[in-house]
RNA sequence: GCCCCGGUAGCCCAGCGGCAGAGGCACGGUGCUCAAACCACCGACAGCGUGGGUUCAAAUCCCACCCGGGGCACCA
């Protein structure tokens, strides 16, 4: 490796002013200091402490560009070159925006609460605050070397009490509001309380509000609040000792972090009513400039499906013979006549009530699960189903299992009895936990019906020639594009209707009779918001002696994370499903028990001891970037409106550009949108969405080398020998992999900065490929970017004397053409985030200048300005050498002169039957007819045609003529 | 199983109906040099994953398949 390291080669004859790693380091350190000292990247706000002191210009009138990265989680391991890819990209873009007249807000904060920091703390015995702050300091130093143009005044850290007091404040806003479907927006809970109090809204049991106890009131309000605490089935992860949100559990039922098993457990936990926003979270995606893939993931996650609820009645057996409706959700109410059986989730609450004492006469042997009574069969099946992990359940998905409950429900349109089963292919968590089964037209129902010899009725006419008898089918027929058959009773007929018409007709019929209604169902669940962890924001909630919950007033914020010695979580054996969560904060009695005056005198309260998930701090940080030191408001409306307010180009408002990885598609990006919408509804922000344009950057991968046992070996120590790879004398294999410590292939940005300089690193990362694709780190290729900067330097400065060597002669026309072609291309590429091609065009122009032998001043200036966003340090240095005293951060980016964008003459290609036979030099203004005549007269063309008849001539002036002969 | 994204030179990638190449790495040669590095110049290397189709013309548009990466997955 060291042979290819220019900085390490003996510099005994190196010219004093050669652009090498040493000079680069010198230039870079100097400019970084200058930028810091001058506050070059401090962006003025229209209002508040960050507004310009003098009336130096109307900030609000200046076009803005708010450019953001997904902020990092400070890890003790330090950065590798993959981490800053996005940060460099946003910096290039931000610098470009600054040079095109924008007031640019660009900074970087730290997302520092959460599990990894706490786990690291427990493992090392260092308090999470200490280790986290050290990691932040280390990261700041690493990033500073890259010359990122951040407004340091706006950098926040989520663990700073002055930051999280506002996280808690927003929590209280959410807690103190409810979603009013009438206006389709959140409203203060006080308005709801007022309505209950004055009787304009009756309480569920009809009692007056004043008659309800404190607990009863809180219970009732809990049904409305957007943040509420409730006993619900949650994801309990004993290995981590905490509950988790659905979004943090992988498809195979394990924790995303740590990969521990996760169990369903019914526990009292804090929830956020994100489901209230399901519709808006889907529909507002249309206003956003996001990758389609991410929009799709969010739509799928929210999983909106339109359908109907339908009641099937079933006899009950708990105390007297009654009837009970079982409500199912279906997206295909049009197939109701084909519902020949029902299935409930094994945990469905009505199962016990409908199970009869004995099997009905002539019950099919296969339905009984080898049990003597239905109750026995149900119990046995439930036990088996409960013991199955999600993985097993999915593996078994092809084979349908279940058992008959012994009960028959009545199909409301056919009046026929249909057997009721329980089966684990029906999930309690979706819809109503009960389905009507239409085996002829649903794959799962078909498989189940085949396994249990259940009847099938065809009610949607097959269009593939399979016939109308399901007994002869291999699978269900589930098309939407057909007509309904076999679907009539004395009251209503769907026969002959298209699917969509039939849905409407049957839904209307059901609604009329009060046995069903059209409804929308979501896959999205409410967001589980509490964690049994130390290292997170405490909830600003206390409980009085009666257990009634009280929100703390704003004046008591922040509720600081208590300094304790024992911050370790209560973890359990990872398979111990029966364990229950315990909060670390509950161990500190002197913190938990607190004397407060909440308006009715000083009393003793107990604090909520759960903490918020690490998503909380990242749900709103863009707002704090806008107004970081505002002590009285979460964000000043004037500042929010300026940076984030809706405009014609941004109908929902939001950050102008947000760059980060795609892994947050349904986590951070969904949660942040939800919070933002609540704040919007409550009037705190004018924007409807937090992030207008989203861009997902790719990953930097690197070669991974493994020894014979398959263990990764340090990549830097591997040598290439005769096309193979060797480490410490033993052969190793090579593969592509994620860059990181565990695969022993991490490359630190510091190393590259030392060997080549930060500008080279920036340039290389930007030139590797399109920003949104993953690409391998090639240690050998970095030198290419380094050489470009050296050639650029030499085109402007003498390596021997350090003096300017540009020519003062005006540039000739071909040079101007090359220049303006480059300006035109680079401008478009930078604006479109196509940094790889922008770099190529800069190199192309520079190579032209090398070949030309001298660089006219005007070309040098333009080239330096164009390189500035990509390699700002060397550009500043050259700009100074060119005689400028100001930083070029705010210089105008060159604009192409269209005069030089058209070539004097173009080469026209003459094809004969698609093959190139001749070339003509023609003026760019030539017409099709002139070109055609010219082509047909060309001797080479005449020879190639060789007298064959010309059938057709296609002329595309000025570049092409195609002659079709024969 | 379903849905995205991608397959162009030894490698990373431009081109996205009209001459296969913008740029970089690696490679070969020449010059500079005592020699080398650096530098400069020159060069070779692909017919665009495969097979069909549309078109005067296809890397580019359409269809099917193969390979690689990602997402979802009994969601009624």
């Amino acid at each position: 490796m060291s042979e290819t390291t220019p900085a390490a080669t003996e510099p005994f004859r190196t010219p004093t002013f050669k652009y090498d790693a040493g000079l680069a380091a010198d230039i870079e350190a100097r400019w970084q200091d200058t930028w810091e000292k001058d506050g070059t990247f401090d962006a003025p706000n229209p209002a508040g402490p960050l507004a310009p002191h003098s009336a130096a210009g109307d900030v609000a009138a200046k076009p803005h560009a708010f450019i953001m990265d997904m902020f990092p989680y400070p890890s003790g391991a330090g950065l590798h070159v993959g981490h800053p890819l996005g940060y460099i990209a946003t910096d290039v873009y931000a610098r470009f925006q600054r040079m095109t007249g924008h007031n640019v807000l660009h900074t970087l904060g730290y997302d520092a609460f959460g599990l990894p920091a706490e786990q690291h703390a427990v493992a090392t015995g260092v308090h999470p605050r200490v280790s986290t702050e050290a990691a932040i300091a280390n990261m700041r130093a690493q990033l500073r070397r890259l010359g990122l143009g951040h407004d340091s005044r706006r950098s926040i850290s989520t663990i700073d009490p002055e930051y999280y007091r506002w996280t808690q404040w927003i929590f209280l806003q959410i807690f103190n509001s409810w979603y009013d479907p009438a206006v389709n927006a959140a409203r203060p809970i006080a308005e709801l309380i007022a309505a209950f109090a004055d009787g304009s809204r009756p309480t569920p049991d009809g009692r007056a509000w004043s008659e309800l106890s404190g607990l009863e009131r809180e219970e009732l309000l809990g049904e409305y609040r957007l943040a509420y605490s409730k006993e619900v089935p949650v994801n309990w992860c004993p290995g981590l000792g905490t509950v988790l949100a659905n979004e943090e559990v992988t498809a195979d039922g394990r924790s995303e972090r740590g990969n521990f098993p996760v169990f369903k457990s019914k526990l009292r936990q804090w929830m956020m009513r994100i489901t209230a926003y399901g519709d808006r979270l889907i529909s507002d995606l249309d206003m956003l400039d996001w990758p389609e893939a991410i929009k799709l993931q969010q739509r799928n996650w929210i999983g909106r499906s339109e359908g109907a609820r339908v009641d099937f009645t079933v006899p009950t057996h708990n105390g007297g013979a009654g009837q009970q409706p079982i409500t199912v959700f279906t997206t295909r109410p049009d197939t109701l006549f084909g519902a020949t059986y029902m299935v409930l989730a094994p945990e469905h609450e009505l199962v016990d009530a409908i199970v009869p004492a004995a099997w009905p006469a002539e019950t099919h042997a296969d339905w009984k699960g080898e049990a003597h009574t239905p109750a026995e069969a149900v119990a046995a099946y439930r036990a088996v189903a409960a013991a199955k992990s999600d993985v097993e359940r999915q593996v078994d998905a092809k084979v349908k299992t279940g058992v008959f409950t012994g009960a028959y429900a009545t199909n409301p349109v056919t009046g026929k009895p249909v057997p009721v089963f329980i089966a684990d292919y029906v999930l309690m968590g979706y819809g109503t936990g009960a389905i009507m089964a239409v085996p002829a037209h649903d794959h799962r129902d078909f498989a189940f019906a085949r396994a249990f010899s259940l009847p099938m009725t065809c009610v949607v006419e097959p269009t593939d020639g399979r016939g109308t008898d399901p007994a002869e089918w291999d699978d269900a027929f589930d098309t939407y594009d057909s007509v309904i058959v076999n679907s009539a009773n004395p009251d209503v007929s769907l026969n002959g209707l298209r699917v969509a018409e039939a849905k409407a007709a049957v839904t209307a019929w059901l609604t009329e009779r009060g046995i069903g209604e059209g409804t929308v169902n979501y896959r999205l669940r409410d967001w589980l918001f509490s964690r049994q962890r130390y290292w997170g924001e405490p909830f600003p909630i206390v409980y009085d002696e009666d257990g009634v919950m009280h929100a703390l007033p704003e004046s008591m914020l922040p509720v600081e994370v208590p300094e304790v010695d024992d911050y370790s979580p209560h973890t359990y054996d990872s398979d111990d499903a029966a364990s229950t969560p315990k909060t670390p904060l509950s161990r500190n009695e002197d913190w938990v028990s607190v004397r407060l005056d909440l308006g009715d005198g000083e009393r003793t309260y107990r604090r909520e001891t759960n903490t918020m998930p690490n998503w909380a701090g990242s749900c709103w940080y863009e707002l704090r970037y806008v107004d970081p030191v505002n002590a009285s408001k979460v964000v000043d409306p004037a500042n929010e409106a300026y940076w984030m307010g809706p405009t014609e180009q941004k109908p929902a408002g939001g950050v102008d550009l947000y760059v980060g990885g795609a892994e947050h598609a349904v986590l951070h990006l969904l949660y942040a949108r939800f919070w933002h919408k609540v704040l919007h509804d409550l009037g705190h922000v004018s924007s409807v969405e937090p992030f207008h344009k989203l861009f997902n950057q790719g990953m930097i991968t690197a070669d991974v080398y493994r020894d014979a046992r398959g263990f990764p070996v340090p990549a830097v120590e591997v040598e290439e020998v005769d096309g193979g790879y060797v480490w410490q004398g033993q052969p190793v294999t090579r593969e592509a992999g994620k860059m990181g410590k565990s695969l022993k292939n991490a490359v630190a940005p510091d190393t590259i900065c030392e060997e080549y300089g930060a500008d080279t690193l920036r340039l290389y990362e930007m030139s590797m490929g399109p920003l949104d694709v993953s690409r391998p780190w090639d240690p050998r290729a970095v030198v290419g970017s380094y050489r470009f900067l050296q050639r650029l330097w030499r085109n402007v400065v003498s390596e021997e004397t350090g003096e300017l060597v540009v020519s003062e002669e005006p540039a000739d026309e071909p040079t101007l053409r090359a220049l303006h072609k480059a300006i035109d291309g680079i401008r478009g590429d930078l604006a479109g985030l196509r940094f790889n091609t922008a770099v190529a065009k800069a190199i192309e122009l520079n190579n032209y200048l090398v070949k030309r032998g001298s660089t006219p001043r005007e070309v040098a200036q333009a080239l330096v300005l164009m390189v500035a966003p990509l390699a700002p340090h060397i550009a500043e240095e050259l700009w100074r050498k060119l005689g400028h005293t100001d930083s070029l951060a705010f210089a105008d980016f060159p604009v192409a002169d269209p005069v030089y964008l058209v070539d004097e003459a173009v080469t026209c290609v003459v094809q004969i039957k698609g093959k190139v036979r001749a070339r003509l030099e023609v003026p760019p203004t030539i017409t099709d007819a002139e070109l055609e005549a010219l082509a047909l007269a060309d001797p080479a063309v005449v020879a190639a045609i060789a007298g064959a008849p010309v059938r057709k001539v296609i002329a595309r002036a000025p570049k092409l003529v195609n002659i079709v002969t024969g």
Side-chain angles (χ1 to χ4, degrees), chain A residues 450-529:
Chain A
R450 273 286 152 86
F452 289 87
S453 310
L454 285 154
M456 305 190 201
T457 308
C458 172
V459 294
V460 181
E461 188 166 64
T463 50
D464 56 1
R466 58 167 73 192
T468 53
D469 183 3
E472 293 167 9
W473 298 354
D474 297 323
D475 200 355
F477 177 75
D478 66 350
T479 307
Y480 279 62
D481 187 22
S482 184
V483 295
I484 304 299
V485 294
N486 294 328
S487 297
N489 65 27
D491 284 339
V492 65
S493 171
L494 306 177
N495 290 338
L497 298 178
R498 309 290 307 176
V499 166
E501 299 162 343
K503 281 186 185 183
V506 74
T507 305
W509 189 85
L510 292 165
T511 308
E512 216 171 276
R513 259 140 238 267
I515 50 171
E517 60 178 342
T519 181
V520 178
N521 195 58
Y522 298 93
R523 205 189 85 110
L524 182 70
R525 303 261 75 88
D526 276 346
W527 173 20
L528 194 148
F529 195 70

Side-chain angles (χ1 to χ4, degrees), chain A residues 72-87:
Chain A
Y73 195 94
S75 139
L79 297 174
H80 60 65
V81 290
H83 291 116
L85 177 67
Y87 308 152

Side-chain angles (χ1 to χ4, degrees), chain A residues 192-243:
Chain A
L192 182 71
I193 295 172
F196 279 131
D198 69 17
S200 59
R201 180 185 281 265
T203 61
D205 61 6
R207 283 189 293 160
W209 178 252
S210 56
E211 289 171 31
L212 301 184
S213 71
L215 264 179
E216 285 170 328
R217 286 179 183 179
E218 204 37 66
E219 189 84 356
L220 175 55
L221 293 176
E223 295 298 312
Y224 290 89
R225 292 186 188 278
L226 289 180
Y228 61 97
S229 140
K230 193 178 181 181
E231 188 166 301
V232 283
V234 296
N235 306 300
W236 163 235
C237 181
L240 290 173
T242 184
V243 297

Side-chain angles (χ1 to χ4, degrees), chain A residues 175 404 738:
Chain A
F175 176 76
F404 181 41
K738 228 172 147 163

Side-chain angles (χ1 to χ4, degrees), chain A residues 8-333:
Chain A
T9 53
E10 181 47 49
F12 71 98
R13 284 199 54 214
T14 302
T16 323
F17 298 96
K18 183 181 162 77
Y19 183 81
D20 59 13
L23 183 57
D26 178 49
I27 292 171
E28 287 165 6
R30 201 143 35 75
W31 281 102
Q32 282 157 15
D33 291 345
T34 304
W35 294 329
E36 185 174 284
K37 179 169 62 62
D38 296 348
T40 306
F41 306 112
D42 290 356
N45 268 355
L50 301 192
H53 294 299
S54 61
D58 188 2
V59 173
K62 203 177 176 195
H64 70 275
F66 185 178
I67 297 156
M68 232 174 101
D69 298 279
M70 289 187 189
F71 64 172
Y73 195 94
S75 139
L79 297 174
H80 60 65
V81 290
H83 291 116
L85 177 67
Y87 308 152
I88 294 170
T90 52
D91 191 51
V92 173
Y93 188 71
R95 286 173 182 272
F96 174 67
Q97 292 295 320
R98 218 174 267 120
M99 294 174 77
T100 51
H102 295 85
N103 184 18
V104 173
L105 199 176
H106 188 217
T107 187
L108 190 73
Y110 294 88
D111 185 18
F113 272 130
L115 272 174
E118 192 179 288
Q119 286 169 330
H120 184 255
V122 171
T124 59
V126 179
H127 191 282
R129 176 169 295 283
V130 175
S131 62
T132 307
E133 280 170 0
I136 291 175
N138 181 41
M139 218 176 219
R140 278 218 163 94
Q142 278 190 297
L143 290 174
R144 188 180 189 274
R145 282 191 83 165
L146 303 180
L148 303 174
H150 292 155
D151 182 343
S152 56
R153 306 166 309 166
R154 296 176 188 263
S155 176
I156 56 89
S157 168
T158 55
I159 58 172
D160 182 346
E162 274 314 299
Y163 180 84
Y164 69 70
R165 81 176 266 204
W166 292 106
T167 309
Q168 291 169 337
W169 180 87
I170 295 171
F171 172 83
L172 290 177
Q173 301 301 308
I174 299 172
F175 176 76
N176 284 320
S177 48
W178 63 294
Y179 200 83
D180 184 354
V183 294
N184 210 14
R187 293 173 60 185
I189 197 86
E191 295 174 15
L192 182 71
I193 295 172
F196 279 131
D198 69 17
S200 59
R201 180 185 281 265
T203 61
D205 61 6
R207 283 189 293 160
W209 178 252
S210 56
E211 289 171 31
L212 301 184
S213 71
L215 264 179
E216 285 170 328
R217 286 179 183 179
E218 204 37 66
E219 189 84 356
L220 175 55
L221 293 176
E223 295 298 312
Y224 290 89
R225 292 186 188 278
L226 289 180
Y228 61 97
S229 140
K230 193 178 181 181
E231 188 166 301
V232 283
V234 296
N235 306 300
W236 163 235
C237 181
L240 290 173
T242 184
V243 297
L244 297 168
N246 288 347
E247 291 80 4
E248 294 168 309
V249 179
T250 60
D252 55 352
R254 301 180 80 90
S255 61
E256 191 173 50
R257 201 166 277 285
N259 200 32
F260 293 112
V262 171
F263 302 91
K264 280 282 172 207
S265 182
K266 216 170 177 191
L267 296 164
R268 185 162 199 97
Q269 293 294 330
W270 281 94
M271 309 291 289
M272 289 249 171
R273 207 177 299 280
I274 189 171
T275 48
Y277 283 83
D279 261 334
R280 284 165 63 187
L281 288 170
I282 287 181
S283 58
D284 288 355
L285 285 172
D286 295 341
M287 291 191 283
L288 302 181
D289 184 1
W290 283 23
E292 268 314 309
I294 302 289
K295 288 189 181 184
L296 196 69
Q297 275 191 59
Q298 291 214 346
R299 288 197 190 99
N300 288 343
W301 185 261
I302 297 166
R304 181 182 199 276
S305 42
E306 287 182 27
R309 285 175 195 259
V310 185
D311 290 344
F312 283 60
T313 47
V314 60
T316 52
H317 300 277
N318 48 348
Q323 293 273 316
Q324 176 93 39
I326 297 181
T327 307
V328 302
F329 172 74
T330 176
T331 54
R332 295 296 302 269

